[in-house]
Structures are given as C-alpha cells and as structure tokens.
Amino acid sequence: MPVNPDAVGATADPVESSWTSKDALLYALGVGAGTDELAFTTENTTDTPQRVLPTMAVVLMLGGTAALKDIGTFNPAMLVHGSQAIELFGEIPVEGTVSSKGTVTGVYDKGSGAVVEIEIVSTDVATGRPLFTNVTSMFIRGEGGFGGDRGPSVSKEVPERAPDHVVTYRTRPDQALLYRLSGDRNPLHSDPAFAARGGFDRPILHGLCTYGFTGRALLHRLCDGDPARFAAMSGRFASPVFPGEELTVEIWLTADGEATFQTRGDDGRVVLDTGRCRFA
C-alpha cells in the first residue's frame, strides 16, 4: 500500500541502544572533528576529559524509528531527510544506554511527495530521566497527492544583516563512508547504483552528517565548545550535499540564548535552512 495518512499516533515498544567511548569518538570523526577538538576525538589527552558532541543524539535515537512500520510502503530510494530537531535535557555521557520510544506525529501531503514526522523521546536507563528528544521528518518523493493536510510551514527568512559568526568546514571525499559507521547504512550514501535509482549521479552525504558539521559550528561559536550549554537545534534540509563539498555556517544572534542559522554548500546554495538554536 502507499503512504498511510492514518498512521498518525502510531507507536512502537521502546528500544534500548547503548554506546561506548569508542562510538562517541567515531561519531565525532564522522562529522569532521579532528586534532583541534581533542575533547571529542580522544579519550586519553592530558587534562582533557572526553566529552560527547550534542548532535550525537541523532544516531543514539535510531531504535525509536520502529514506529515507522505503520506508515505504509514506498520506494526507499525516493526517501530523503526533510528536517531534524533535537532538544537536550543534559550533557550526553561518554557511554550509556537509552530507551527510545517513537510516535508518528504527522503525515503531510506536499503534492509532489509526502512528509512523515516522528517524535522520539530517549530516556537514560541509568537515571530514568529523559536525556534528549528528536523530531525527524522525512520527505518521500512521489507519494503525495492523497488529499491530506499540507502541514505547518516555517519561515526561511534570516535577518537582513551580516551574520554574527561565519564558520567554514571542508568535508572529505569519503566523509559518507566514515559517517555511516555510526549507524546509518542507507546505500544512498555509499552505493552509486542505488544513488542513481534515486536520481543522483553519485552517492550523497547524509543529511545528518551536514547537521553534525553545523552543530559543531554552533557549539564552538555559541557555547565556547561546552556541550553542557547546548540546549536545542533544528533545521530543514534544503539541498543535497556531496562528499568533498565545503560547508559554510552563517549564524545570527537573535535573542539572549537564541540564534538563527543556515548552512551553504560549495556554490553558495543553502543546504540547511530554517535553523534555530538555543544555548545557555
């Protein structure tokens, strides 16, 4: 059957996922951290305890996507990440276990495709307290036109002034092969034949890898590199990124503890927009 608009409210049993120090290091390398960020890329540097990048929340919640079993069938090559939001209720520990439960919160008709939204709450098994929440939306090309609600819209506008911060990172040609080791093995990011079925001339970078690069820029410019100050981040994936591209993050301070941002690719196009960040 096609995408099922009646799947809203569907849930699944909580799924536990665990991670170690090594997993946290691998994630940091996968989103471009290196020798100038040893707190995230090493565990034994003198006077530098290991810490975890806040955006690692997006890979630790993957078990919670089990609720998507009720959304119907579709060609997986036509699925792209639509948007991602995270909210953190404390610093992610270097190792631990979370129990993640997902709920389908929206199935929207965009005409050319369908958007499916899921909220996943991840609870720290050691403390019984929520550690972070993810809200993920996926755009499935060719599955629209069923007459459903178009869903909420978010302004893409940014302040009409120069950004307060601009950060540029270069991704590696093999960035997707490194990032996929954190859990997302979708062949769209590694298999040229599968990417071609989705309409791409070569594998694209994971949207959540671009998200992680962007999160690093926000962490260092807004939180002085301190994950405990990073509270929330959201953004919409506006254009695919190819491994090897340069990513430029533009950040505008909009209120006390709040910022707007967008990320651009090599040619200046916006690849991540409607960005919002909260920090202490």
Side-chain angles (χ1 to χ4, degrees):
M1 65 177 180
V3 169
N4 175 21
D6 296 325
V8 176
T11 63
D13 292 335
V15 176
E16 289 191 1
S17 57
S18 300
W19 68 99
T20 65
S21 164
K22 181 179 177 180
D23 296 319
L25 299 174
L26 184 60
Y27 174 79
L29 295 173
V31 297
T35 56
D36 57 347
E37 295 169 82
L38 294 179
F40 304 104
T41 55
T42 65
E43 79 293 347
N44 55 1
T45 298
T46 303
D47 298 326
T48 306
Q50 184 185 351
R51 304 182 80 177
V52 177
L53 290 173
T55 52
M56 192 178 174
V58 304
V59 299
L60 299 179
M61 61 85 182
L62 289 177
T65 59
L68 295 175
K69 62 181 174 55
D70 294 314
I71 68 170
T73 58
F74 54 89
N75 180 356
M78 302 301 283
L79 182 149
V80 294
H81 208 138
S83 65
Q84 184 73 29
I86 57 174
E87 182 175 9
L88 296 108
F89 306 110
E91 186 172 347
I92 299 174
V94 170
E95 57 183 29
T97 300
V98 289
S99 175
S100 297
K101 183 172 184 177
T103 302
V104 177
T105 51
V107 178
Y108 303 119
D109 186 352
K110 297 296 186 180
S112 62
V115 169
V116 177
E117 181 183 271
I118 182 170
E119 180 183 65
I120 300 169
V121 178
S122 298
T123 301
D124 187 339
V125 171
T127 65
R129 299 174 182 172
L131 187 57
F132 47 78
T133 296
N134 282 266
V135 178
T136 300
S137 77
M138 290 151 290
F139 184 75
I140 309 171
R141 292 171 290 166
E143 293 293 340
F146 54 83
D149 180 7
R150 285 191 58 84
S153 59
V154 180
S155 173
K156 302 176 186 178
E157 296 181 0
V158 296
E160 295 183 359
R161 58 181 174 82
D164 295 293
H165 302 284
V166 177
V167 183
T168 298
Y169 296 127
R170 171 69 66 178
T171 66
R172 295 162 51 108
D174 57 358
Q175 197 74 57
L177 300 182
L178 182 56
Y179 181 83
R180 72 192 293 271
L181 299 180
S182 286
D184 187 346
R185 302 297 182 91
N186 185 339
L188 180 64
H189 308 293
S190 56
D191 180 355
F194 190 92
R197 296 209 302 272
F200 300 104
D201 61 7
R202 56 193 171 102
I204 62 175
L205 190 63
H206 303 71
L208 289 179
C209 186
T210 298
Y211 193 87
F213 270 83
T214 301
R216 284 174 49 229
L218 297 171
L219 175 69
H220 293 301
R221 290 297 182 271
L222 302 178
C223 307
D224 294 325
D226 182 357
R229 296 177 53 193
F230 196 106
M233 172 185 173
S234 62
R236 184 185 75 97
F237 302 103
S239 179
V241 172
F242 290 94
E245 279 200 69
E246 192 172 74
L247 297 174
T248 297
V249 185
E250 300 170 335
I251 307 168
W252 291 264
L253 299 172
T254 53
D256 186 27
E258 297 182 7
T260 292
F261 65 88
Q262 64 182 13
T263 302
R264 296 183 181 272
D266 260 351
D267 57 1
R269 76 192 185 287
V270 176
V271 299
L272 185 62
D273 65 16
T274 67
R276 303 288 185 271
C277 181
R278 288 191 291 106
F279 58 98

